[in-house]
Amino acid sequence: MTTPALSAEQEALFRLIEDTNEHVFVTGRAGTGKSTLLQHLAWNTKKQVAVCAPTGVAALNVEGQTIHSLFRLPVGLIAGSQIEQSDPARKIMNAIDTLVIDEISMVNADLMDAIDRSLRQARGRRGEPFGGVQIVMFGDPYQLAPVPPRGDELMYIRDHYRSFWFFDAKVWVGESAGDGILDVGRHGAELHVRELVDIHRQADPAFKAMLNAVRYGRVTADIAQILNDTGARTPPDPADGEHPIITLATRNDIVNNINRRHLNELVGREQTAAAEISGDFGRGEAGYPADAELKLKVGAQVMFLRNDTGSYGEPPRWVNGTIGTVTRIAGETVRVDVDGEEFDVEPTVWERFRYSYNAASKSLSRDVVAEFTQFPLRLAWAVTIHKSQGKTYDRAIVDLGSGAFAPGQTYVALSRLTSLDGLYLSRALRPSDIRVDPDVQRWMQNALRQS
């Protein structure tokens, strides 16, 4: 597989990871190329690398394995409970040189410590952080947060951690869990925080500055007025030949209602494409990369869910997030119009991987354990802000409804856009919509100051 050429700052970061055994956290604003660097690392490293992520969909996106599956960890708070390890699991952990974790901001402190404890235990190196494995993490805490704990779990976290975030795990701050395993010294394991700064998604410096202000919670009255004045427009009418603009909303029910209403308004027969699922593909539809039953009509607005692999040497016909309109449905193909050019789209296969140890080569191998086959399309009159993560849109309606309910949500929505000209707001932004987690502010500012 060929990967995009790296920028100078991405190449420097790749060399830090490849040429040393340092623990590295790669962060950066939306559109700075974190995913590009991760993909390049996975395909070009000479190290024995295992790639994982906190959720099934995130693991699929990086062609890796979920953290819980890779380390055979129980779901829920792990705390000081015993971690049982099978012989195959120990062999895998002993073969890893570098563990790559994507969407690290969704990993909580308890799980971070469980990863550390698992590797020390399996490798028999209890006095060394992560048992000597290099940890490389990708993500942006200003965009995604771990699922907050509740009840007894919340009480435990408050008693044992400064916050629920991965960066406050004992392995990094140097506290002992009381069993000797996590005693890494007064200062904890050293973590090199590196921020990618070159933004590739937006070109306009003024819009970049506005997004930065939203990211850090420093929106002035002038910035708010520009965003609100620009967004306070009526979206173009599809009756005038314009494509409907995608809506980014906070909740699933809002998105589903918008998509269902628009689909029902189309004339013609609704057709359903059922996914083919083989193997263990996780727990229900939440872990599926696309709809198990994709309902379409001619005229439906759709979004592509995968980059086009295309012909070798040819530019991709579409990328993950491209918006188009269905013009024909015929058996094994769906014809989609993208900016006046039509393409026949066929079902694609998402593979779920699992790492195993190859005794003959004394190396890690990645085995396909499940497959999900479906058209790489989703109805796209609307999508949740969460599912828009990583996507790029020229135009979008941002619908915050009753308000952003999670820190970073407004920043994620606005930063999907390539320019300010593409912004439409269903209502004016309010100060309460600009939410930044104080623990993220506290740690990130300090970490970047020291890097």
Side-chain angles (χ1 to χ4, degrees):
M1 175 178 176
T2 57
T3 54
L6 298 184
S7 66
E9 67 168 357
Q10 289 171 325
E11 179 64 33
L13 248 176
F14 173 69
R15 295 268 48 107
L16 171 64
I17 296 166
E18 185 70 2
D19 299 340
T20 75
N21 198 40
E22 304 288 355
H23 304 307
V24 182
F25 171 40
V26 180
T27 190
R29 289 166 284 179
T32 51
K34 297 183 292 294
S35 297
T36 299
L37 177 57
L38 188 156
Q39 186 183 60
H40 182 90
L41 172 65
W43 283 91
N44 294 281
T45 182
K46 292 182 171 61
K47 297 179 179 181
Q48 293 269 22
V49 166
V51 182
C52 60
T55 67
V57 172
L60 285 172
N61 289 338
V62 292
E63 297 185 335
Q65 194 170 342
T66 65
I67 294 169
H68 285 84
S69 172
L70 178 62
F71 289 95
R72 309 294 196 268
L73 293 170
V75 175
L77 198 69
I78 297 162
S81 60
Q82 183 177 352
I83 296 177
E84 297 182 4
Q85 294 176 331
S86 64
D87 188 53
R90 282 194 297 272
K91 286 181 177 178
I92 291 170
M93 284 183 252
N94 273 280
I96 297 172
D97 296 325
T98 300
L99 180 70
V100 177
I101 309 175
D102 194 27
E103 302 291 16
I104 186 63
S105 63
M106 297 179 70
V107 174
N108 64 56
D110 173 69
L111 182 56
M112 189 86 251
D113 280 336
I115 294 170
D116 171 50
R117 189 148 59 100
S118 296
L119 288 168
R120 293 186 196 220
Q121 180 177 310
R123 296 165 70 91
R125 297 162 71 174
R126 294 185 176 235
E128 197 170 351
F130 302 102
V133 171
Q134 179 188 29
I135 305 298
V136 179
M137 304 176 290
F138 289 80
D140 181 9
Y142 286 103
Q143 294 187 56
L144 286 174
V147 176
R150 296 178 179 176
D152 289 344
E153 291 190 0
L154 177 59
M155 293 172 62
Y156 177 88
I157 293 300
R158 284 176 173 169
D159 283 344
H160 291 83
Y161 292 99
R162 184 169 181 177
S163 81
F164 204 41
W165 289 87
F166 75 94
F167 46 73
D168 280 329
K170 298 178 190 298
V171 66
W172 301 124
V173 302
E175 297 176 6
S176 172
D179 57 6
I181 292 178
L182 291 169
D183 187 3
V184 296
R186 191 162 55 89
H187 300 294
E190 185 176 3
L191 178 61
H192 295 262
V193 180
R194 294 292 183 270
E195 184 174 34
L196 293 170
V197 297
D198 295 337
I199 297 176
H200 308 287
R201 182 174 293 145
Q202 294 94 16
D204 177 20
F207 188 42
K208 289 181 183 180
M210 292 179 211
L211 293 177
N212 225 26
V214 175
R215 182 177 194 242
Y216 296 124
R218 300 170 186 162
V219 177
T220 64
D222 289 343
I223 291 173
Q225 184 171 354
I226 293 171
L227 290 171
N228 283 328
D229 287 351
T230 303
R233 298 171 291 163
T234 303
D237 191 341
D240 297 332
E242 291 276 355
H243 287 303
I245 299 177
I246 191 168
T247 295
L248 309 182
T250 53
R251 302 201 322 260
N252 272 310
D253 59 336
I254 297 172
V255 166
N256 292 337
N257 287 339
I258 292 172
N259 284 330
R260 172 51 59 184
R261 173 168 53 81
H262 279 284
L263 191 67
N264 288 341
E265 287 172 353
L266 294 174
V267 296
R269 183 168 64 94
E270 180 178 292
Q271 300 189 52
T272 301
E276 295 180 11
I277 306 169
S278 64
D280 177 15
F281 221 91
R283 298 170 303 179
E285 295 206 22
Y288 293 163
D291 293 337
E293 291 191 343
L294 175 62
K295 299 181 185 300
L296 294 175
K297 288 182 182 179
V298 170
Q301 180 164 287
V302 291
M303 178 175 69
F304 286 86
L305 302 175
R306 292 280 292 269
N307 292 340
D308 172 39
T309 52
S311 303
Y312 183 78
E314 294 293 321
R317 296 167 294 175
W318 59 78
V319 297
N320 186 3
T322 294
I323 303 293
T325 303
V326 174
T327 59
R328 183 170 176 264
I329 304 171
E332 291 299 306
T333 63
V334 174
R335 186 167 294 170
V336 179
D337 179 290
V338 178
D339 295 330
E341 191 171 357
E342 295 193 355
F343 305 109
D344 285 330
V345 182
E346 298 177 345
T348 191
V349 179
W350 283 266
E351 296 173 325
R352 186 175 291 285
F353 294 98
R354 183 171 295 154
Y355 288 95
S356 61
Y357 179 71
N358 188 318
S361 63
K362 296 183 178 179
S363 64
L364 288 176
S365 62
R366 250 183 355 156
D367 307 317
V368 177
V369 296
E371 292 185 344
F372 183 100
T373 305
Q374 178 60 288
F375 290 100
L377 302 170
R378 172 179 284 141
L379 291 178
W381 287 286
V383 66
T384 61
I385 293 170
H386 184 80
K387 285 183 179 175
S388 75
Q389 190 80 20
K391 308 289 195 300
T392 300
Y393 306 113
D394 292 329
R395 306 184 304 173
I397 300 168
V398 176
D399 180 1
L400 294 173
S402 58
F405 59 80
Q409 200 169 39
T410 301
Y411 172 65
V412 170
L414 297 178
S415 61
R416 300 309 96 200
L417 291 162
T418 56
S419 72
L420 183 61
D421 292 339
L423 174 63
Y424 295 82
L425 293 170
S426 63
R427 65 158 173 81
L429 294 175
R430 306 166 186 154
S432 59
D433 294 324
I434 312 300
R435 300 182 58 191
V436 182
D437 190 298
D439 287 306
V440 172
Q441 286 180 314
R442 177 255 308 170
W443 186 82
M444 286 287 287
Q445 289 170 6
N446 184 58
L448 292 173
R449 197 180 302 122
Q450 295 178 357
S451 64

